[in-house]
């Protein structure tokens, strides 16, 4: 590469056009973070020049302007592009588009003020100098766009002619940042001249223009034929400024395609990538250091599913780049794959509609439970053609993932989530290797082998575990799903949509039971201790927990059964409470009986591997063993 320091005027006055490639991110510089500091630097530089000229005038000497210290603006990286005969020279701005765009807007705002101040024609030359830095001669180009020194990324090209025109726009509060910048720089220039009048005011204007022209300097790095533009881009951006992995991947894909002379890149950007500019994709998910934009999460999902490996989120860009180097996919095929995954990902996260309510509920439950390691699998399944993965098989495959997750969550200790990453990578490997019609079976087989609680294990957990120890979202999820199944199985119940997330968790036997739920007075001291311990364990089991609406009379919560039973009868809109209200006397036996009943319903809601058709193969006959004949 060739790197050289140039004055801004030396860069911009020659007849050439700087093109911002489609892959670059949108313009993001603002008054608070960049514009104000940039203009302050211009004013300080112009003042040094003005003072040098004023001193020369007072001493009747030639101003030594070459000794005025310039202001360095940083670097831009450019690469030459082919251009037609008769057209202006073209440069692709590989890096520095935010800086170069801002300088164009500064010059435009400054030109507005010069044109206002040029009442007697004294500043005509300065206005012309600024004009040459933002526009080429009208007769010098082969296309209408050749008149502009800078041609922004595709999304902003409709705006740019108005932004840069001599006519001052009718500014509004919701203006694009381009218009805001032009307005800011013009107002800042006017403010810098507030105290200057007469000849001093004219000289101050000249100093501002000349400082921008000759004392604002940039390092321009021109790439040569064998330079790797992407490596340079990464060094100047990805390793120093907070570009996201998806930003870097976008740049990598389109930059490589551009240098490979791929055709129709703008159309491909619009068709496959433009949707990622939607604000939803820029939202952060997760907390603290783990927080990432949805685009980065999608990228991780896509790469995990595509490679069937456990992708390191911390080195996401590096892993994507290694995949692209290794597989060398065609640009359009790669972008089409990403778009298909993006649409499927949005469907999983309810950003796009899903008709199948069984799938919708399963996705919502898995997200609430935090099993994000399953998202690559769920997303990949949605990208498969229906001819390969039928609707019923698809539904059962997702049900298997949900059942595996919920049963392990209910089972609690000993069924942890630490190895979920490895489990679901194995699921992806086997599912991708499965033949048509075999995806569901592959998923069920791997999950069953990884530890999928059976009906008996589920029942044991629901009868013996402290369910109240789960967080309340999980409690509502399980109890709500059971209530929904009771409603669906009861032919007398009219269809109803219940928002279980807004219901409250209630202990039937109160958490503070001692006052109104006395133990048997005939028990001796040892028996009372045992009975008290048993009741304290029973009160937090699922059989003693239910959901109630906000109309539940909380004042009876810690009272005896005679006071609470009528309240549960009044809560019969939640079917979980119908059976509770029918019990004459509530106690530990009732809790166990109800826990067993809830476990039976839960086993239907979240079926076992066996219920989903998984058959454990019989052991193979060992070598030399009798064959039974």
């Amino acid at each position: 590469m060739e790197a050289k320091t140039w004055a801004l005027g030396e860069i911009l006055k020659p007849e050439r056009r700087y093109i911002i490639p489609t892959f670059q991110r949108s313009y993001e510089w603002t008054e608070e973070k960049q514009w104000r500091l940039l203009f302050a630097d211009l004013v300080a530089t112009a003042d040094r020049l003005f003072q040098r000229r004023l001193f020369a005038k007072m001493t009747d000497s030639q101003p030594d302007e070459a000794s005025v210290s310039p202001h360095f603006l940083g670097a831009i990286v450019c690469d030459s592009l082919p251009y037609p005969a008769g057209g202006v020279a073209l440069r692709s701005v590989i890096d520095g588009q935010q800086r170069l765009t801002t300088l164009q807007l500064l010059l435009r705002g400054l030109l507005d003020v010069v044109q206002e101040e040029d009442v007697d024609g004294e500043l005509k030359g300065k206005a012309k100098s600024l004009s040459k830095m933002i526009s080429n001669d009208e007769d010098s180009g082969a296309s209408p766009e050749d008149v502009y020194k800078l041609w922004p990324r595709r999304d902003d090209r409709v705006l740019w002619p108005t932004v840069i025109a001599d006519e001052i726009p009718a500014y509004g509060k919701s203006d694009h940042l381009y218009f805001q910048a032009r307005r800011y720089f013009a107002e800042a220039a006017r403010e810098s001249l507030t105290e200057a009048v007469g000849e001093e005011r004219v000289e101050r204007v000249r100093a501002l223009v000349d400082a921008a022209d000759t004392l604002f300097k940039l390092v321009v790095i021109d790439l040569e034929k064998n330079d790797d533009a992407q490596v340079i881009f990464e060094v100047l951006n990805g390793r120093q400024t907070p570009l996201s992995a998806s930003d870097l991947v976008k740049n990598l894909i389109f930059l490589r395609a551009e240098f490979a002379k791929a055709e129709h890149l703008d159309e491909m950007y619009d068709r496959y990538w433009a949707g990622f500019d939607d604000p939803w994709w820029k939202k952060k998910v997760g907390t603290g250091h783990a927080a990432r934009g949805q685009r980065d999460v999608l990228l991780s999902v896509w790469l995990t599913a595509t490679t069937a490996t456990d992708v390191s989120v911390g080195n996401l860009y590096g892993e994507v780049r290694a995949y692209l180097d290794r597989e060398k996919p065609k640009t359009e095929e790669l972008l089409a794959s990403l778009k298909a995954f993006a649409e499927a990902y949005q469907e999983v996260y309810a950003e796009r509609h899903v008709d199948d309510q069984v799938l919708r509920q399963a996705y919502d439950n898995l997200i609430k439970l935090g099993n994000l390691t399953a998202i690559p699998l769920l997303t990949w399944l949605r990208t498969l053609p229906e001819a390969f993965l039928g609707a019923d098989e698809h539904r059962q495959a997702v049900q298997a993932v949900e059942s595996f997750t919920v049963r392990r969550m209910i089972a609690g200790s000993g069924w942890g989530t630490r190895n979920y990453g490895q489990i679901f990578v194995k699921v992806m490997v086997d599912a991708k290797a499965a033949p048509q019609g075999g995806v569901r079976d592959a998923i069920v087989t791997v999950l069953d082998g990884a530890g999928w609680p059976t009906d008996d294990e589920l029942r044991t957990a629901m009868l013996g575990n402290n369910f109240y120890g789960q967080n309340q979202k999980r409690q509502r999820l399980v109890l709500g799903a059971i209530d929904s199944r009771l409603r669906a199985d009861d032919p007398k119940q009219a269809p109803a949509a219940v928002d279980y997330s807004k219901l409250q968790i209630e202990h039937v036997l109160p958490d503070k039971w001692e006052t109104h739920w006395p133990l048997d007075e005939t028990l001796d001291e040892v028996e009372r201790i045992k009975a008290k311990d048993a009741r304290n364990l029973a009160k937090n089991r699922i059989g003693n927990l239910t959901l109630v609406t906000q109309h539940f009379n909380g004042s009876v919560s810690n009272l005896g059964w005679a006071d609470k039973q009528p309240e549960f009868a009044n809560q019969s809109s939640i079917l979980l409470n119908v059976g509770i209200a029918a019990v004459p006397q509530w106690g530990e036996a009732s809790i166990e009986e109800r826990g067993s009943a809830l476990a039976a319903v839960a086993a239907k809601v979240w079926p076992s591997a066996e219920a989903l058709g998984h058959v454990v193969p019989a052991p193979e006959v060992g070598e030399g063993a009798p064959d039974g004949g």
Side-chain angles (χ1 to χ4, degrees), residues 3 43 61 128 137 228 238 281 296 349-350 363 376 393 396-397 403 405 435 458 480 521 537 594 600 617 621:
V43 169
S61 60
K128 186 176 181 180
D137 291 338
D228 188 334
W281 285 109
D296 284 5
Y349 276 92
Y363 297 150
E393 185 187 3
Q396 290 168 3
S403 177
T405 304
L458 178 66
E521 294 180 358
L537 290 173
R594 181 169 177 266
V621 178

Side-chain angles (χ1 to χ4, degrees), residues 390-417:
D392 288 341
E393 185 187 3
H394 185 181
R395 191 179 300 112
Q396 290 168 3
V398 175
Q399 281 183 296
V401 176
E402 181 192 10
S403 177
F404 172 84
T405 304
V406 174
R407 283 183 174 230
R408 285 172 67 104
M409 179 270 291
I410 292 174
S413 179
W415 301 86
T417 62

Side-chain angles (χ1 to χ4, degrees), residues 410 458-470 475 478-479 482 505-511 530-547 580 586-596 598-599:
I410 292 174
L458 178 66
R459 182 178 182 277
T460 299
M462 292 181 70
L463 288 176
N465 287 2
N466 178 355
F467 188 70
Y468 196 67
Q470 305 276 354
Q475 294 170 38
V478 173
L479 291 170
I482 292 173
I505 308 294
E506 176 69 17
H507 286 81
V508 183
L509 171 69
D511 182 44
K530 289 181 179 179
K532 183 176 181 179
D533 290 343
R535 180 165 288 184
N536 282 330
L537 290 173
K539 71 180 183 182
N540 288 326
R541 289 171 181 155
I542 195 169
N544 190 52
L545 300 176
T546 191
L547 296 172
I580 295 173
W586 192 262
E588 288 85 340
S590 306
I591 292 171
E592 182 168 357
E593 184 178 346
R594 181 169 177 266
S596 183
L598 294 182

Side-chain angles (χ1 to χ4, degrees), residues 374-591:
I375 300 298
L377 174 66
L378 303 178
T379 306
W380 173 73
L381 290 173
R382 295 201 66 82
T383 67
L384 297 178
E386 191 169 352
F388 187 87
L389 180 71
D392 288 341
E393 185 187 3
H394 185 181
R395 191 179 300 112
Q396 290 168 3
V398 175
Q399 281 183 296
V401 176
E402 181 192 10
S403 177
F404 172 84
T405 304
V406 174
R407 283 183 174 230
R408 285 172 67 104
M409 179 270 291
I410 292 174
S413 179
W415 301 86
T417 62
R418 285 187 179 180
N419 59 342
Y420 269 16
Q422 296 175 348
I423 291 173
F424 281 97
V425 165
K426 171 63 174 170
V427 171
M428 279 296 317
V429 170
D430 285 22
K432 294 187 74 170
Q436 181 174 338
V439 173
R440 180 208 61 181
D441 293 339
I443 292 171
V444 172
T445 299
V446 175
L447 292 179
D448 193 33
W452 186 337
T454 64
D455 287 352
D456 287 342
E457 289 168 329
L458 178 66
R459 182 178 182 277
T460 299
M462 292 181 70
L463 288 176
N465 287 2
N466 178 355
F467 188 70
Y468 196 67
Q470 305 276 354
N471 67 49
Q472 290 207 352
K473 284 185 179 180
R474 293 181 176 183
Q475 294 170 38
R476 289 191 187 94
L477 186 154
V478 173
L479 291 170
I482 292 173
D483 184 81
S484 182
R485 182 57 183 255
L486 291 172
R487 190 177 301 279
D489 289 347
D490 187 348
K492 298 178 183 179
Q493 294 294 321
V498 180
D499 187 354
Y500 294 103
S501 67
K502 294 183 179 179
L503 301 182
Q504 302 168 16
I505 308 294
E506 176 69 17
H507 286 81
V508 183
L509 171 69
D511 182 44
K512 298 177 181 179
W513 54 266
E514 288 86 350
T515 302
H516 299 286
W517 297 69
L519 296 171
D520 186 348
E521 294 180 358
T522 64
L523 298 176
D524 62 31
E525 185 175 354
V526 173
E527 290 172 332
R528 286 182 67 82
I529 291 173
K530 289 181 179 179
K532 183 176 181 179
D533 290 343
R535 180 165 288 184
N536 282 330
L537 290 173
K539 71 180 183 182
N540 288 326
R541 289 171 181 155
I542 195 169
N544 190 52
L545 300 176
T546 191
L547 296 172
V548 295
T549 70
Q550 60 183 350
H551 301 295
F552 184 82
N553 186 358
S555 65
V556 305
S557 189
N558 289 321
L559 298 183
W561 183 236
D563 295 297
K564 292 197 74 171
Q565 186 181 34
E567 284 301 318
F568 284 114
N570 292 335
Q571 290 281 315
S572 60
S573 61
I574 307 300
L575 294 192
L576 286 170
N577 299 321
V578 173
I580 295 173
V583 175
Q585 185 62 46
W586 192 262
E588 288 85 340
S590 306
I591 292 171

Side-chain angles (χ1 to χ4, degrees), residues 41 160 167 200 210 216 226 252 262 299 301 327 346 348 364 399 453 460 496 504 511 520 544 573 609 612:
D41 291 334
W160 193 252
E167 182 179 354
E200 181 189 346
D210 291 342
F216 261 18
N226 295 324
L252 173 64
L299 202 59
V301 164
E327 302 297 332
Q346 288 184 306
V348 170
D364 291 345
Q399 281 183 296
T460 299
Q504 302 168 16
D511 182 44
D520 186 348
N544 190 52
S573 61
L612 285 172

Side-chain angles (χ1 to χ4, degrees), residues 231-346:
V231 171
I232 294 167
F233 182 89
E234 292 167 34
V235 170
L236 294 173
N237 283 280
R239 298 173 192 171
Q240 296 180 16
T241 60
L243 283 181
S244 67
S246 54
D247 283 327
L248 286 170
V249 168
K250 175 187 68 173
N251 295 333
L252 173 64
I253 294 170
F254 284 97
L255 188 58
R256 286 185 174 185
E258 189 165 299
F259 280 86
K261 311 302 180 187
E263 297 180 350
H264 311 300
L265 273 185
D266 285 350
E267 288 85 349
M268 279 194 275
Y269 185 94
D270 288 343
R271 186 181 312 137
Y272 299 116
W273 195 278
F276 291 123
D277 292 331
D278 185 270
W280 186 84
W281 285 109
K282 298 178 182 179
K283 289 180 180 177
K284 295 279 188 179
V285 291
T287 57
H289 295 299
R292 284 174 174 78
Q294 290 279 23
R295 286 187 302 190
D296 284 5
V297 178
L298 167 70
L299 202 59
S300 173
V301 164
W302 167 79
L303 189 61
T304 297
T306 301
T307 62
T309 58
D310 191 6
V311 172
S312 169
V313 178
N315 187 34
L316 185 56
Y317 169 68
E319 295 209 20
V320 173
R321 180 170 184 169
Y323 167 77
L324 298 182
D325 288 341
R326 182 174 66 252
E327 302 297 332
K328 297 179 173 57
K330 294 182 179 178
T331 300
E332 187 158 13
E333 291 176 359
L334 170 64
L335 292 172
S337 174
L338 278 169
K339 183 179 181 182
F341 266 83
E343 292 175 351
Y345 179 86
Q346 288 184 306

